[in-house]
Amino acid sequence: MAEEQRKSALTAETGASRRREILDLLADGGLHSGAEVAARLGISRAAVWKTLRRAADELGLEIESQRGRGYRLCRPLELLDAARIRAALSKTAGARVAGIEVLEVVDSTNTRLMQCAADGGACGSVCLAERQRAGRGRSSRGWVSPFGANIYLSVLWRYTLAPAELGGLSLACGVAVARVLKSSGVAEIGLKWPNDLHWRRRKLGGLLLEVAGESQGPSHVVVGLGVNLHLSAEQARDIDQPWSDLTTALGHAVPKRNALAARLIEGLVDALADYGDAGLTPFLADWHAFDAYLGESVEVVTGERRVAGIAAGIAGDGGLLLDTAAGRQCFHGGEVSLRPGAAGTKQKSGFTRKDTKSTENDQ
């Protein structure tokens, strides 16, 4: 039985390696004859056809076959490459990144690194995937993760801090990602509390942080990030909210995937290190600048409770400030949405300030 399992694993590994080689050849979107691909890889033309058929079925790729001419990907791909990503990191960030793993398919990069953390994985471990079978967002929502279309990555970081001291970390990471996207040309990037990235009121990306550790420390966190680069309407059919991608926001100026992945990793590891040294304070001014809903009429939902008011920024610990009829309240958990008819109508609060604090916490 063990020998059969070993042979099965070896066959699967060989098949995945062959598929990667073929996709590398076809990544430019041009036509490549079956004979050319077979010769380059040292396999039969029938094996080329079978591999591409499986790639189309298993990865959801659109592959065109033209009789007598060859095969082409209907949309060019830039596959992720760990060596290229590491080479693009600065010296400081490179020293902070323990290792970079790129997977063709995984259930979830966060799940992968949470298991890695439990097994003693190093601080600064990074996992990226071309596709996630079970990508996750906040509140157990699914994250649409088609092959080779976007960025899906996670970073493992270890702290001497207690888990309770990491409440503002998702906001710090959001600021780090927004900085990277702004420097990449996204002029209207905004943050929606606590960890969504928006462009013109549409979701461009999001973060999912998972924390574990001893009550008094140490602790570890896995920061998961998804950023939409290119999504077709068909790929996005299961998304239940307004969405956008960098192709829409930037047109033909979309960064290369490996270069963008490197910038995002660098921004995150720098933010994770800075948070360990100084907490949320160094990020507060930029959060205020990126706050897409400051002054808007919004509603916060925590469980079955709904509270309406005017978004008033964030507190020093990362809580959402909301000016309500009962005074100013601070929330540390919940979902924020614009109230019907309120889009684009920023207001100044006319409420008398009376500080209260919600006890919910699900950041």
Side-chain angles (χ1 to χ4, degrees), residues 29-350:
L31 273 169
H32 296 266
S33 72
E36 172 199 346
V37 176
R40 290 279 295 273
L41 272 62
I43 59 177
S44 68
R45 292 173 64 178
V48 171
W49 179 80
K50 289 179 181 178
T51 301
L52 288 175
R53 185 179 65 175
R54 290 191 64 181
D57 291 343
E58 296 175 9
L59 304 179
L61 290 173
E62 291 185 67
I63 301 173
E64 180 183 349
S65 174
Q66 294 188 16
R67 187 175 181 85
R69 299 189 65 194
Y71 306 96
R72 62 179 291 270
L73 291 174
C74 294
R75 188 178 68 82
L77 289 175
E78 182 195 357
L79 299 175
L80 297 171
D81 183 284
R84 290 174 62 187
I85 292 170
R86 179 171 280 285
L89 297 174
S90 70
K91 184 176 180 180
T92 299
R96 289 171 170 164
V97 172
I100 299 174
E101 179 182 40
V102 174
L103 302 172
E104 183 182 74
V105 181
V106 70
D107 285 343
S108 157
T109 56
N110 260 36
T111 300
R112 176 85 168 187
L113 281 193
M114 285 297 285
Q115 183 59 55
C116 173
D119 294 339
C123 177
S125 297
V126 177
C127 178
L128 302 99
E130 295 290 358
R131 178 180 177 232
Q132 297 182 115
R133 286 185 293 252
R136 293 176 290 129
R138 292 184 73 234
S139 305
S140 300
R141 293 190 182 94
W143 189 271
V144 175
S145 308
F147 184 90
N150 305 310
I151 297 287
Y152 324 114
L153 70 84
S154 297
V155 180
L156 165 63
W157 204 259
R158 296 187 180 276
Y159 289 104
T160 58
L161 303 172
E165 297 178 87
L166 303 181
L169 185 58
S170 66
L171 281 78
C173 291
V175 167
V177 176
R179 288 170 177 168
V180 170
L181 295 179
K182 182 179 179 181
S183 70
S184 299
V186 185
E188 299 176 63
I189 188 68
L191 290 169
K192 177 188 173 188
W193 186 90
N195 49 20
D196 282 352
L197 294 129
H198 278 209
W199 180 76
R200 296 183 179 177
R201 306 284 186 193
R202 295 176 174 273
K203 189 164 181 176
L204 185 66
L207 290 145
L208 174 66
L209 276 68
E210 298 183 87
V211 179
E214 302 296 328
S215 60
Q216 301 302 313
S219 60
H220 65 263
V221 60
V222 170
V223 179
L225 170 65
V227 177
N228 298 332
L229 270 70
H230 177 84
L231 277 177
S232 67
E234 174 64 20
Q235 290 170 332
R237 66 184 183 279
D238 294 327
I239 299 178
D240 62 357
Q241 60 184 298
W243 60 272
S244 191
D245 56 22
L246 288 180
T247 300
T248 302
L250 294 174
H252 296 297
V254 177
K256 298 291 187 181
R257 285 179 80 221
N258 284 288
L260 180 60
R263 289 180 217 161
L264 291 168
I265 291 167
E266 181 156 339
L268 285 173
V269 298
D270 287 351
L272 289 163
D274 290 345
Y275 188 93
D277 293 335
L280 185 59
T281 301
F283 303 92
L284 290 173
D286 276 357
W287 173 271
H288 182 82
F290 286 123
D291 190 343
Y293 290 81
L294 182 65
E296 298 280 10
S297 180
V298 301
E299 184 176 67
V300 179
V301 179
T302 58
E304 296 184 0
R305 180 186 176 207
R306 294 176 178 270
V307 183
I310 306 301
I314 59 171
D317 64 355
L320 174 69
L321 299 176
L322 189 70
D323 285 337
T324 75
R328 178 164 289 185
Q329 299 186 43
C330 184
F331 293 83
H332 291 84
E335 296 288 331
V336 178
S337 62
L338 277 175
R339 295 173 70 190
T345 56
K346 295 200 173 187
Q347 303 176 32
K348 290 184 178 179
S349 172

